[in-house]
Amino acid sequence: MSEYKIVYKGGTGEIVEKKSRFIANVFKVESEDEALEIIEQTRKKYWDARHNCFAYIIGENGQTKRCSDDKEPQGTAGKPILEVIEGAGIINILVVVTRYFGGTLLGTGGLIRAYQAASKEGLEHSTVLSVSDGVLAQIDADYNSIGKIQYICLEMHIDILKTEYTENVYMEMIVQAENYGQFVQKITDAFSGKISVVKIQQQKFGKSESGEVILLS
């Protein structure tokens, strides 16, 4: 996959609907066994809750998908949670929504909306990254060249991770793998071959919705 989304840091969100509390916990998971273990731990944590419904998507192509209504009416909890995850395009994710019953029945439509809303709230409180294959690269340049290099990076949506000012200027950047050749050519052409891009290593990286760049192992 050239680009996909993962959970970098899970979070917790909560909504209240007619006195029923819906608490969504979001987790990053790498295997089905890990997901099942976390589900069991969550059930123990919320041992006094009426329902602990869940959905997960695991695998680079999202090939493993499971969901559970946990004794809610069929199709009112697990599937709505799964649909929120699918809609967000996230893989290797588990969402568990715990319900404390408030005494008022919500009906089929009400339950579906509540479980979806809680899932979205959980994702809002999580850090989700768009992951790409990239190249970590560096450029050593004189001070007069900085502006043009920065402009090319901005034009190509390339993130500069580090800039060190010494006798020359050292710049480190992450470039999407598919754009690396074009970037090298643009720098070469802009400076008539006097400045070159040096490849450090292949590097997966993630970008959050806030624009934060995180290098991944």
Side-chain angles (χ1 to χ4, degrees), residues 75-102:
T76 62
K79 188 178 178 183
I81 299 168
L82 184 62
E83 287 174 348
V84 169
I85 300 171
E86 288 176 324
I90 305 171
I91 62 169
N92 292 342
I93 179 174
L94 163 67
V95 178
V96 183
V97 180
T98 300
R99 181 190 182 189
Y100 283 93
F101 185 56

Side-chain angles (χ1 to χ4, degrees), residues 97-116:
V97 180
T98 300
R99 181 190 182 189
Y100 283 93
F101 185 56
T104 302
L105 296 174
L106 301 182
T108 300
L111 283 172
I112 291 171
R113 287 190 294 274
Y115 278 102
Q116 286 183 330

Side-chain angles (χ1 to χ4, degrees), residues 63-80:
Q63 59 265 36
T64 302
K65 299 180 182 182
R66 302 281 187 274
C67 63
S68 169
D69 296 313
D70 193 28
K71 299 178 184 176
E72 289 280 32
Q74 186 176 356
T76 62
K79 188 178 178 183

Side-chain angles (χ1 to χ4, degrees), residues 180-205:
Y180 182 69
Q182 184 185 1
F183 176 60
V184 170
Q185 192 62 54
K186 280 205 170 195
I187 293 294
T188 301
D189 292 346
F191 298 100
S192 302
K194 294 176 182 177
I195 293 176
S196 59
V197 180
V198 178
K199 176 180 176 179
I200 300 173
Q201 62 187 37
Q202 295 290 125
Q203 179 71 59
K204 277 191 181 294
F205 70 100

Side-chain angles (χ1 to χ4, degrees), residues 22-195:
F22 294 83
I23 306 164
N25 284 286
V26 179
F27 305 91
K28 178 183 179 181
V29 289
E30 299 289 346
S31 69
E32 201 161 7
D33 286 343
E34 184 183 2
L36 294 173
E37 185 178 335
I38 291 171
I39 291 163
E40 190 57 36
Q41 290 171 355
T42 305
R43 284 183 174 138
K44 289 177 181 177
K45 179 179 178 180
Y46 299 104
W47 60 270
D48 56 341
R50 180 74 69 89
H51 307 280
N52 286 284
C53 307
F54 65 82
Y56 56 80
I57 298 177
I58 299 170
E60 192 170 290
N61 298 306
Q63 59 265 36
T64 302
K65 299 180 182 182
R66 302 281 187 274
C67 63
S68 169
D69 296 313
D70 193 28
K71 299 178 184 176
E72 289 280 32
Q74 186 176 356
T76 62
K79 188 178 178 183
I81 299 168
L82 184 62
E83 287 174 348
V84 169
I85 300 171
E86 288 176 324
I90 305 171
I91 62 169
N92 292 342
I93 179 174
L94 163 67
V95 178
V96 183
V97 180
T98 300
R99 181 190 182 189
Y100 283 93
F101 185 56
T104 302
L105 296 174
L106 301 182
T108 300
L111 283 172
I112 291 171
R113 287 190 294 274
Y115 278 102
Q116 286 183 330
S119 301
K120 290 175 182 176
E121 191 71 14
L123 290 177
E124 284 289 324
H125 288 84
S126 304
T127 302
V128 175
L129 302 180
S130 294
V131 179
S132 300
D133 290 320
V135 176
L136 190 62
Q138 67 182 42
I139 293 176
D140 285 295
D142 58 81
Y143 281 74
N144 294 329
S145 305
I146 299 172
K148 188 177 285 188
I149 295 169
Q150 289 173 331
Y151 176 78
I152 291 171
C153 288
L154 184 66
E155 183 183 45
M156 293 188 66
H157 305 289
I158 292 168
D159 291 283
I160 298 171
L161 305 178
K162 184 193 300 183
T163 305
E164 294 177 357
Y165 299 91
T166 54
E167 184 178 337
N168 285 329
V169 181
Y170 170 83
M171 304 173 81
E172 202 169 280
M173 61 278 296
I174 188 75
V175 188
Q176 281 199 324
E178 60 192 27
N179 296 331
Y180 182 69
Q182 184 185 1
F183 176 60
V184 170
Q185 192 62 54
K186 280 205 170 195
I187 293 294
T188 301
D189 292 346
F191 298 100
S192 302
K194 294 176 182 177
I195 293 176

